[in-house]
Amino acid sequence: MDTRSGRAFQWAWRLVLVTGLVIITAVASRAAPYAALVMDARSGEVLYAQNADTRLHPASLTKMLTLYIAFEAVERGEISLDTRVTISKHAAAEPPSRLGLKAGQKIALRHLIRAAAIKSANDAATAIGEAISGSEAAFAQRMNRTARALGMKNSTFKNANGLTEAGHLSTAHDMTILGRRLFYDFPQYYNIFARRSTDAGLAEVANTNRRFLDAYKGADGIKTGYTSAAGFNLTASAKRGSKRIIATVFGGTSTAQRNAKMAELLDLGFAEAPARVAVNRPASPRYEAPAPAEAAALAAVESEGEDMPGSSAKTIRLVTAVTTSPRPRGRPEAVQTAAAAPADAPAPDLPAPDLLAQIESGVQEAVAVVTAAPAPRPAATPPRPTEPEVVMRLSTSGGRHWGVNLGRYATRGAAERALLQMGLAETATLRDAQRKVLARGGGYDATFIGLTQDQADLACRRLQARAQNCFTMGP
């Protein structure tokens, strides 16, 4: 009886061991692939790499690109940090991590940025994308265009938050490039990633990266990520003395293991990086023209004209179009920080020459003067309102008194977006043009002015070749 019991116990123990090995093997086979890269943030030199160009699931590291575009859009004047964003059903339905947004709710863009950067809130990231581009699909197009402009050669994006989706892939190399870009391109915003907590409007939210920030000397950012397909990801940056190192880990097996691996990588970076090295700032991004679907989905913002004092006429002020270069970078009015930007944050670049800066001084601002018809007396049947007569006066100085009209749009914002898109697409022919929006006939005309006749003719022909309707305007 004892012998039989002993044999039964041995067989049972063997079965437990075999079952355990099978489970361990299955779990290991499902583990996310590992990749890592370490870079000297000052020079951009790669100090260590393993599987760094393998396309993997980035998870919430994706939000670094969403935030980069948000900062860019704010600096360009496309949207304000004070803009109240209306939350869509799609954004409100995103799975955790979430801020807890409700469909129809309005919240300031600044709070969405904080929630995405600190809490890694998926609903906030989606709302940011929709606010900037009109839909998440259009925002994904902008993400891919921006990624290419930043030198992220092996990344493709499908959504704003990083939830697992077919084709939504990046690399440790590309994410390190992006982290470095955030530091150099937007130093005035970078410090948000070092906050342990922040006010996100609906709640005070804690930083998902606070353990690493507290544990590693010199760490000041930047972003965590996790999904079952990606594993535990992290892009982190730290400064010690004159050195700044940035590194990315994909495929960690736990938060603790990932943080320990990141500490090893940063230690390696500080050991390998020279004490003195020439700072090689990233070049300004070189963008392609936005895709038509993206441009069509951009949100429009309308503004009204103002009455001229002492006159029955009304002047509709022509809005200077959004520039293709960021505004001078400085202290932001909105992403309010308890701490200043990092001490080694690079001095802001002077903006690259904007297209508008190349306008000759002889080009005067076009003004639309609308003679307001007197208010009709009350009648049993209200008469059909007469359409105001619109007169456009173009400068005749220097021979640059021709223009190109792209057509009439329902809103001022839509007209401005069309001008921006075409200005980017046809920089060769429209470099000397000034972009203006003219209110007339119940809509908004998108016009380029300040051209010679030859320039206007050539620009319109090239735009028509791009399937863009247009016509030239003479004096």
Side-chain angles (χ1 to χ4, degrees):
M1 186 70 177
D2 291 341
T3 302
R4 290 179 180 178
S5 298
R7 289 176 179 174
F9 177 79
Q10 290 177 0
W11 279 107
W13 180 243
R14 289 174 182 175
L15 181 60
V16 169
L17 289 176
V18 171
T19 303
L21 287 173
V22 170
I23 293 173
I24 291 172
T25 302
V27 170
S29 66
R30 291 197 301 269
Y34 173 80
L37 185 131
V38 181
M39 180 181 290
D40 187 329
R42 301 166 298 172
S43 64
E45 180 186 359
V46 174
L47 304 175
Y48 170 84
Q50 181 177 347
N51 299 326
D53 291 314
T54 301
R55 283 164 53 84
L56 302 171
H57 296 288
S60 285
L61 299 190
T62 299
K63 295 184 178 80
M64 289 194 295
L65 183 56
T66 298
L67 292 165
Y68 184 99
I69 295 172
F71 298 153
E72 179 183 64
V74 169
E75 291 297 295
R76 288 180 172 183
E78 298 175 45
I79 193 169
S80 165
L81 288 163
D82 293 321
T83 298
R84 303 281 292 176
V85 176
T86 301
I87 304 304
S88 70
K89 292 181 180 179
H90 173 60
E94 294 287 19
S97 174
R98 304 178 69 252
L99 180 59
L101 299 170
K102 305 297 183 183
Q105 180 180 13
K106 291 187 177 182
I107 184 171
L109 178 67
R110 74 176 77 229
H111 292 138
L112 295 176
I113 287 174
R114 294 173 185 174
I118 301 302
K119 183 177 173 59
S120 197
N122 295 322
D123 51 356
T126 297
I128 290 170
E130 292 176 340
I132 293 172
S133 294
S135 71
E136 191 170 35
F139 187 72
Q141 292 183 21
R142 178 162 179 173
M143 293 175 77
N144 290 316
R145 189 165 58 91
T146 302
R148 291 190 293 270
L150 298 180
M152 300 168 64
K153 299 178 180 179
N154 295 304
S155 297
T156 51
F157 299 94
K158 302 291 185 178
N159 60 61
N161 50 44
L163 291 171
T164 303
E165 188 171 342
H168 188 102
L169 300 168
S170 187
T171 69
H173 194 175
D174 282 356
M175 284 297 161
T176 307
I177 290 173
L178 178 57
R180 182 171 183 254
R181 279 285 192 169
L182 280 164
F183 176 77
Y184 276 104
D185 293 356
F186 298 106
Q188 70 273 38
Y189 296 110
Y190 177 80
N191 56 75
I192 190 175
F193 298 105
R195 297 187 196 179
R196 272 53 173 186
S197 64
T198 191
D199 174 17
L202 302 186
E204 186 81 9
V205 295
N207 196 324
T208 58
N209 196 32
R210 60 190 181 277
R211 292 182 183 177
F212 186 78
L213 292 171
D214 290 338
Y216 193 83
K217 181 181 178 182
D220 57 13
I222 54 179
K223 189 72 190 72
T224 63
Y226 170 78
T227 63
S228 58
F232 292 81
N233 298 351
L234 174 62
T235 295
S237 181
K239 180 181 182 296
R240 291 180 179 176
S242 62
K243 301 179 183 181
R244 174 171 287 279
I245 304 298
I246 186 166
T248 296
V249 170
F250 274 59
T253 57
S254 68
T255 299
Q257 185 272 340
R258 175 198 67 195
N259 289 355
K261 174 58 67 174
M262 177 58 73
E264 293 177 9
L265 293 171
L266 290 175
D267 285 346
L268 180 153
F270 283 116
E272 293 291 328
R276 294 184 179 182
V277 66
V279 175
N280 181 23
R281 296 170 60 87
S284 298
R286 299 184 63 86
Y287 288 97
E288 307 164 0
E294 175 190 345
L298 290 172
V301 178
E302 297 189 38
S303 62
E304 299 297 329
E306 297 180 2
D307 287 333
M308 294 178 60
S311 171
S312 61
K314 176 179 283 188
T315 296
I316 299 178
R317 295 190 174 182
L318 304 179
V319 178
T320 301
V322 176
T323 64
T324 58
S325 304
R327 295 177 304 191
R329 296 170 182 156
R331 191 73 177 172
E333 71 223 351
V335 183
Q336 298 170 355
T337 59
D344 65 331
D349 280 339
L350 290 177
D354 186 76
L355 292 178
L356 299 182
Q358 302 176 26
I359 303 302
E360 293 189 2
S361 59
V363 179
Q364 300 175 354
E365 182 177 9
V367 178
V369 179
V370 181
T371 302
R377 296 189 178 189
T381 304
R384 181 177 179 180
T386 58
E387 184 172 344
E389 179 185 358
V390 178
V391 180
M392 180 174 180
R393 297 195 302 270
L394 292 173
S395 168
T396 58
S397 62
R400 293 181 176 274
H401 48 270
W402 285 77
V404 175
N405 188 304
L406 302 184
R408 188 162 300 169
Y409 293 80
T411 66
R412 183 182 296 277
E416 290 173 348
R417 304 303 183 195
L419 288 170
L420 175 60
Q421 178 188 354
M422 291 301 104
L424 288 171
E426 277 300 328
T427 55
T429 57
L430 295 172
R431 181 178 300 277
D432 294 327
Q434 185 176 8
R435 291 167 288 176
K436 291 295 182 181
V437 175
L438 176 64
R440 59 185 301 175
Y444 296 84
D445 282 9
T447 60
F448 291 96
I449 64 171
L451 298 169
T452 66
Q453 183 175 3
D454 289 343
Q455 287 176 328
D457 289 340
L458 178 59
C460 195
R461 287 198 303 271
R462 290 175 64 92
L463 290 173
Q464 288 171 346
R466 294 178 179 271
Q468 169 63 50
N469 292 328
C470 64
F471 60 89
T472 59
M473 305 179 300

